[in-house]
Amino acid sequence: YEKAKDKDADLVICDYAVEIQDTGKTVCPDIGKNYEGKPKEAFMKDLLKGKVSGFSWNKLYRRDLIERHKLVFPLRDELENIEDQYFSFRCLLYANTAAFVTKPLYHYRVHLSSIVQKYQAGLFEDGLALYEANLDCLTKHGELPALKEALHVFIVNHGCISILNECKSRNKNPSIEKYKNIRSICACPEFRGKIPAVDMSAFDSKKKLLLMLIRLRLMPAVYGFSAIYQKMIEHRMKK
């Protein structure tokens, strides 16, 4: 609140600590240090690219900003998995000034199973709906040219995450159902069509390999590699 008053900011974002209870590990992303003093567009681009999270609980919003632009969270059955990012992105878009607090004022305690292993049904469809909503929003407000590349990275990255989601250990669907869902994701024009257009430097080596297999339409290899990739993620988090 003091930062909001000092900077006359419409939006203030603070650092936070994530404590993974199963391992005792605590992670503190340096959000404030990385973005303080930079234009808000830098944060918006990295939000779309998945470099920062769109949580609503580490942000303070000017009430007038929300009321003036009629900003609301989508209903749970509309964007079940990513409603926070929908709201935060629009607040950033409309905010005249965004400020940052370089202290972890929020302590987030999570269980390993809730962030790594939990299967999210309909995850890809929710992300696709968010992509289309953001595309429409940015087009209407003339902001698409500045954020088009980041928006493309969002849908490509989201497609990869959704494929890995199908391979989570908590997904009890039969293998044939997982394979069918992965094929459906890979066949989506909005996802597949953006792969050749994005800068591959936005992705690590494992995602680059996954995207190459998708472009080559090697679906059995996509499924097999994704299963191995997801097991690696879960094993690393347990450590």
Side-chain angles (χ1 to χ4, degrees), residues 14-235:
C14 74
D15 287 352
Y16 58 91
V18 179
E19 178 190 345
I20 304 173
Q21 291 183 282
D22 309 65
T23 64
K25 183 178 181 181
T26 300
V27 181
C28 298
D30 291 324
I31 300 172
K33 185 175 71 174
N34 292 334
Y35 296 99
E36 190 172 29
K38 294 182 180 180
K40 66 174 185 177
E41 286 75 16
F43 188 88
M44 292 175 69
K45 286 180 179 180
D46 283 353
L47 174 61
L48 289 172
K49 291 180 179 181
K51 293 183 178 180
V52 291
S53 298
F55 302 127
S56 57
W57 40 248
N58 70 324
K59 298 174 180 63
L60 184 66
Y61 310 91
R62 188 190 294 270
R63 177 173 176 168
D64 179 65
L65 171 72
I66 295 172
E67 293 179 339
R68 187 163 18 102
H69 296 285
K70 298 180 173 61
L71 300 174
V72 296
F73 282 89
L75 297 175
R76 293 287 291 179
D77 59 353
E78 292 176 340
L79 288 173
E80 180 71 23
N81 299 296
I82 40 183
E83 66 275 6
D84 274 19
Q85 187 173 142
Y86 177 96
F87 184 79
S88 295
F89 182 76
R90 278 151 183 76
C91 286
L92 280 159
L93 180 65
Y94 291 116
N96 290 322
T97 306
F100 296 87
V101 174
T102 56
K103 293 181 180 179
L105 302 181
Y106 193 97
H107 193 100
Y108 185 36
R109 300 174 65 192
V110 295
H111 289 286
L112 188 65
S113 59
S114 68
I115 59 171
V116 178
Q117 297 176 347
K118 183 180 178 182
Y119 174 63
Q120 296 169 284
L123 177 63
F124 180 72
E125 290 75 16
D126 285 342
L128 181 59
L130 179 60
Y131 166 79
E132 292 173 342
N134 285 345
L135 178 63
D136 182 63
C137 180
L138 291 172
T139 301
K140 286 181 178 177
H141 292 88
E143 300 287 344
L144 184 59
L147 294 169
K148 187 176 182 179
E149 168 64 19
L151 190 60
H152 289 171
V153 171
F154 165 79
I155 191 60
V156 173
N157 189 49
H158 180 73
C160 292
I161 291 170
S162 299
I163 290 170
L164 294 173
N165 178 58
E166 292 297 325
C167 297
K168 286 184 175 180
S169 58
R170 291 290 182 91
N171 183 3
K172 301 306 180 183
N173 289 330
S175 295
I176 188 67
E177 184 70 19
K178 297 176 184 179
Y179 184 75
K180 178 182 176 182
N181 290 343
I182 290 174
R183 281 183 63 93
S184 177
I185 294 168
C186 293
C188 175
E190 288 80 2
F191 169 48
R192 175 182 288 280
K194 298 300 182 296
I195 296 175
V198 297
D199 182 0
M200 283 294 158
S201 65
F203 307 100
D204 61 24
S205 58
K206 292 184 287 297
K207 281 187 180 175
K208 287 177 183 176
L209 177 55
L210 177 58
L211 291 169
M212 182 186 72
L213 294 172
I214 293 168
R215 290 191 66 182
L216 294 173
R217 301 178 186 272
L218 301 174
M219 287 301 104
V222 170
Y223 182 29
F225 177 70
S226 299
I228 295 170
Y229 187 178
Q230 179 59 30
K231 286 186 183 297
M232 291 170 61
I233 293 173
E234 294 182 13
H235 177 72

